[in-house]
Amino acid sequence: MEWNSISSNTLFYALEEFRNKANVKCIEDYKVLYEKSIDSPELFWQEVARQFFWKSKPTGSFLTYNFDITKGPIKIEWMKGAKTNVCFNLLDKNIEKMNLVNTVAYHWVGNDPQDCFSVTYSQLLKEVCKFGNVLKQKGVTKGDRVAIYMPMVTELVVAILACSRIGAIHSVIFAGFSSQSLAERIVDAQCSIVVTTDGAWRGTKLLNLKEIVDEALRYCNEKGHTVKTNIVSKHVGPKQGHGQNGRVTVPGTRPVYDLKTPWNPHVDCWWDDVMTEVSDVCDPEWVDSEDPLFLLYTSGSTGKPKGVVHTTGGYMLYAAETFKYVFDCHPGDVYFCTADIGWITGHTYGIYGPLSQAVTSILFEGTPFYPHPGRYWEIVEKYCVNKFYTAPTAIRALMKHDDIFVKQFDCSSLKVLGSVGEPINPEAWLWYHTVVGEGRCPIVDTFWQTETTFPFFGVLPAILDEKGQEIKGPGEGYLGYNFNKNLIQDLKDSVRHKIGPFATPEFFHLAQNLPKTRSGKIIRRLLRKVARNDSDLGDLSTLAEDNVIEYLFNTRPQLT
């Protein structure tokens, strides 16, 4: 295997692996679909849409859009006027059509390896209907925003799908964010309700989430926004009537007998209490295909967090179809996505995608290193996981430990490995492929549509100028150039022409990777050190990859 083929590992590379080691007919079917989608993306997505239930058809064209600002506001509309409900399609329709009543939707695995249980599709539907009725009882109606600040627990999935069921817009905030970050997102979205838990374990670190929420609500009040209701799920604290009685809390396990949960009876209510008061029947709210489904905020690392709105119809189709083909998933598969649901990967490939294809998912609350660095592979063995999806950052961290932490567990059930978040580096790819996948599992390198080198089928890439006109020329299709002397001169000439001779760079440095923190933020001070050939680097404790700096210095162009 040549290194250049590994470093440019894409969906197409994975398909070649499938061709050699899996069902050839499946790949041929995939190629037919891809070719059809290029000829007519609109007809392709119309065919996909027929797999779902629609209460009514679009009132106009299947797809309308405008990118030209001289002709009006920029817009993209998929199946406008068509009525549907995502929750109904994921649960009600699939349960009836595919007889999923007793099929496990989620195996929940807690921070403590002994803490686990399973939820079937029919149980999940009942809980979703009940919580949908709770939200309606609290005054939530179609279009209202609901903030969800929870760890990886089944109540998080229930809350998300309940919002979808009643037409409310969910805004999930990663439960590792601070009270101020939480408050900023609540205020910006004007959320009327917050859903949280009393606390959560991360390894042996206990987080009192209720205290964080209370502090955030005080900040919201200062900004002139009042949250009417805070629904709290008792996750780590003891159930009512089970006091401490001299028992000692064991770090990393439930219950936490001495957890103190602050309480405001005018705002706060317990999840269990309100769920006992409602019916488990809740009719779905039929919403327009272009109605908002959820808000998801950026991390805020490059400025004020920006809320991205995902609408109903187009998102449902894209999540389902990409999940189905990228992972070659089928009903009955057991799928494990390690991403937190607080991120877009967790939304699309932790909830909406898997449920659309009737698979059984792992919902993992813990960390990959507690109580040992083989935690992921222990779960793979226990539940016979077929498809596994994680980030290169996690892979790089795991491969620093002895391979015995993988090999002591039986991972023979694995069929497909996925990578997400950034292009996977060759060293991580090779370890993932040989140690985890035992040399037999294809790796699907997915890092979202703005970064992938080839588009998913049904997607035609286009680069637009500020007036909405498509820019033609090199760079289309497979995005990238060969880095050579001619390109370097072209870049220098471009800078000289557009900015001025004074700004012409002395040299260009081709980098396969950049120094980043574990959250993906580029450490620019280190780039300045490399540019100056200054080896006094200072603190490197936040650097995600230790070998990046060494590589940059080794490949630094020598000035003549």
Side-chain angles (χ1 to χ4, degrees), residues 84-394:
T84 191
N85 183 279
V86 177
C87 178
F88 179 86
N89 275 285
L90 301 188
L91 297 181
D92 308 62
K93 180 180 75 69
N94 278 350
I95 289 172
E96 181 178 352
K97 182 179 178 181
M98 306 179 74
N99 192 26
L100 302 179
V101 174
N102 297 316
T103 300
V104 173
Y106 287 98
H107 293 299
W108 181 80
V109 183
N111 186 66
D112 174 13
Q114 305 304 315
D115 195 8
C116 55
F117 59 83
S118 301
V119 177
T120 65
Y121 271 83
S122 57
Q123 289 170 332
L124 180 60
L125 175 58
K126 286 185 178 181
E127 292 298 294
V128 166
C129 286
K130 288 172 69 175
F131 197 67
N133 287 329
V134 167
L135 292 176
K136 290 197 289 187
Q137 191 181 74
K138 298 297 180 182
V140 178
T141 59
K142 178 185 174 184
D144 287 344
R145 278 76 64 201
V146 176
I148 305 174
Y149 184 72
M150 306 179 87
M152 293 284 282
V153 291
T154 55
E155 288 86 354
L156 171 57
V157 178
V158 168
I160 286 172
L161 295 176
C163 288
S164 165
R165 192 167 192 87
I166 68 172
I169 302 167
H170 60 77
S171 176
V172 179
I173 297 101
F174 173 56
F177 278 152
S178 67
S179 57
Q180 184 166 345
S181 296
L182 171 60
E184 287 173 350
R185 290 160 173 78
I186 292 172
V187 172
D188 186 75
Q190 294 291 287
C191 298
S192 59
I193 281 187
V194 173
V195 185
T196 189
T197 64
D198 54 355
W201 283 110
R202 287 219 174 89
T204 56
K205 183 179 181 181
L206 179 63
L207 302 178
N208 192 318
L209 297 185
K210 179 59 166 59
E211 285 185 348
I212 295 173
V213 171
D214 285 354
E215 189 175 340
L217 297 189
R218 285 192 290 272
Y219 182 86
C220 291
N221 288 331
E222 292 173 5
K223 293 294 182 180
H225 177 70
T226 301
V227 171
K228 300 175 182 177
T229 305
N230 180 28
I231 303 174
V232 186
S233 171
K234 185 167 286 192
H235 177 56
V236 297
K239 298 295 183 182
Q240 288 181 342
H242 295 79
Q244 185 171 353
N245 295 329
R247 287 175 287 189
V248 178
T249 296
V250 178
T253 65
R254 301 188 299 161
V256 180
Y257 298 106
D258 54 351
L259 180 73
K260 293 179 172 57
T261 305
W263 203 254
N264 179 357
H266 301 293
V267 177
D268 300 330
C269 58
W270 288 113
W271 174 291
D272 288 344
D273 291 344
V274 293
M275 288 285 275
T276 60
E277 302 170 355
V278 293
S279 166
D280 61 7
V281 176
C282 178
D283 292 332
E285 179 76 24
W286 303 109
V287 301
D288 192 281
S289 175
E290 276 300 307
D291 279 341
L293 176 63
F294 66 86
L295 275 168
L296 190 61
Y297 283 81
T298 59
S299 64
S301 60
T302 57
K304 182 181 178 182
K306 293 164 281 292
V308 179
V309 179
H310 293 260
T311 54
T312 300
Y315 177 82
M316 178 173 68
L317 267 57
Y318 191 77
E321 205 68 359
T322 54
F323 177 80
K324 176 181 177 180
Y325 284 104
V326 168
F327 297 102
D328 188 33
C329 270
H330 304 274
D333 279 344
V334 180
Y335 165 79
F336 184 6
C337 174
T338 70
D340 193 284
I341 290 174
W343 309 115
I344 187 61
T345 299
H347 278 57
T348 308
Y349 299 133
I351 297 181
Y352 288 106
L355 292 177
S356 75
Q357 300 304 315
V359 304
T360 296
S361 293
I362 306 295
L363 190 64
F364 179 45
E365 180 194 23
T367 75
F369 306 104
Y370 177 82
H372 56 77
R375 192 69 197 282
Y376 281 167
W377 324 122
E378 183 179 45
I379 293 170
V380 167
E381 178 186 83
K382 180 176 180 178
Y383 295 102
C384 296
V385 173
N386 308 128
K387 316 294 168 68
F388 180 78
Y389 197 34
T390 195
T393 301

Side-chain angles (χ1 to χ4, degrees), residues 19-64:
R19 181 187 300 279
N20 296 328
K21 299 181 179 180
N23 189 329
V24 174
K25 184 178 184 303
C26 173
I27 304 307
E28 294 305 320
D29 291 345
Y30 185 106
K31 287 182 66 178
V32 170
L33 279 173
Y34 181 79
E35 289 165 2
K36 281 184 178 179
S37 75
I38 295 300
D39 293 337
S40 179
E42 186 172 335
L43 289 177
F44 169 78
W45 289 109
Q46 282 181 334
E47 191 66 30
V48 173
R50 292 191 181 97
Q51 304 170 26
F52 298 90
F53 175 81
W54 303 90
K55 191 71 172 176
S56 62
K57 297 180 180 180
T59 54
S61 300
F62 184 82
L63 167 64
T64 59

